[in-house]
Amino acid sequence: MGDRTYFILARRPFLREKSGLLIETPSQTLDLRDYPAQNREDALNYIQQYLSTAPDLTQPEFGQQLATVSENNFMYLSQMLRAIAENSHPDANLGESSLPSELPPGLAAYYQNHWLRMTGDGLSAIDLSVLNVLVQSTTGLSVSAISNIIDRDEYDVEKVLDNWIEFLNKQEIGGEICYSLYHNSFREWLGKHSILE
């Protein structure tokens, strides 16, 4: 390879020691979560461009609604927009209180792949307990809060969360680091499909 050859890799968050990548050249990491306004603008532009061939779905309100429900997640957007454009999704009104009852097959398969990666060789009792708490919570919870709910040691809870970091939102709330599943539709998918039984 010659000079001025660049590679751009996009991926979900990860622990650097578990990245699976060997990079022996200068590199820079850009966390898109640090740019929420730009992400939303990109999502709105993507929605507008995708639906420009469907005049009945190009109202600004619809784009704003879909961007909000998508949480600016482009995999979610691409799958939902394809389904809406193909009219295979009867519930095209995607207000926060009226999410579709069924996900498009591509998105469900994507979540199934998440699930397979989360379970690996199987789930321990503590894994299941932590996951149950995350599925039931619509807000972020600290390690200590999860630990108290399931009556397990904080160290053990933190190990579980570290293993699933790419599927979680990690944010500071009230001075504590809190965790939630990375997208509401993934949380709902886990709950609806009796994954945790």
Side-chain angles (χ1 to χ4, degrees):
M1 298 256 171
D3 289 343
R4 299 177 189 243
T5 301
Y6 300 92
F7 294 91
I8 298 174
L9 171 67
R11 67 172 296 168
R12 298 209 44 74
F14 61 95
L15 296 175
R16 187 165 297 280
E17 62 270 18
K18 295 184 178 183
S19 74
L21 297 173
L22 175 61
I23 300 173
E24 296 180 328
T25 60
S27 65
Q28 179 180 0
T29 300
L30 181 67
D31 191 335
L32 295 180
R33 293 172 299 187
D34 295 337
Y35 305 92
Q38 293 89 336
N39 284 335
R40 183 167 178 90
E41 186 178 341
D42 286 346
L44 288 167
N45 288 335
Y46 180 72
I47 292 165
Q48 185 177 28
Q49 182 177 10
Y50 197 101
L51 295 180
S52 62
T53 57
D56 55 326
L57 296 176
T58 55
Q59 305 97 325
E61 299 82 14
F62 178 80
Q64 294 284 347
Q65 238 179 11
L66 187 54
T68 298
V69 172
S70 75
E71 302 171 38
N72 301 332
N73 180 289
F74 280 83
M75 177 55 100
Y76 180 91
L77 271 179
S78 68
Q79 294 297 318
M80 293 302 286
L81 285 168
R82 181 178 301 140
I84 291 166
E86 292 172 355
N87 289 325
S88 62
H89 224 293
D91 300 317
N93 177 20
L94 296 176
E96 287 184 43
S97 61
S98 58
L99 287 170
S101 55
E102 291 297 325
L103 293 178
L107 192 56
Y110 182 66
Y111 290 161
Q112 180 67 32
N113 182 267
H114 283 357
W115 175 244
L116 291 174
R117 288 171 39 212
M118 287 175 80
T119 57
D121 295 328
L123 296 177
S124 67
I126 190 170
D127 292 338
L128 281 171
S129 296
V130 170
L131 197 52
N132 268 308
V133 170
L134 292 173
V135 166
Q136 292 172 32
S137 177
T138 57
T139 61
L141 294 171
S142 67
V143 170
S144 62
I146 296 170
S147 174
N148 288 336
I149 291 168
I150 64 173
D151 193 25
R152 297 295 293 259
D153 187 82
E154 287 186 24
Y155 174 78
D156 294 330
V157 169
E158 195 159 15
K159 270 185 16 185
V160 172
L161 295 170
D162 282 348
N163 285 336
W164 292 337
I165 200 67
E166 70 178 292
F167 309 109
L168 303 175
N169 278 334
K170 183 178 174 182
Q171 64 189 94
E172 187 175 324
I173 302 174
E176 287 191 290
I177 300 298
C178 295
Y179 299 83
S180 60
L181 288 162
Y182 86 96
H183 197 278
N184 191 51
S185 69
F186 181 49
R187 184 185 65 78
E188 290 182 345
W189 181 85
L190 286 169
K192 285 180 182 177
H193 289 80
S194 301
I195 293 296
L196 305 177
E197 292 179 357

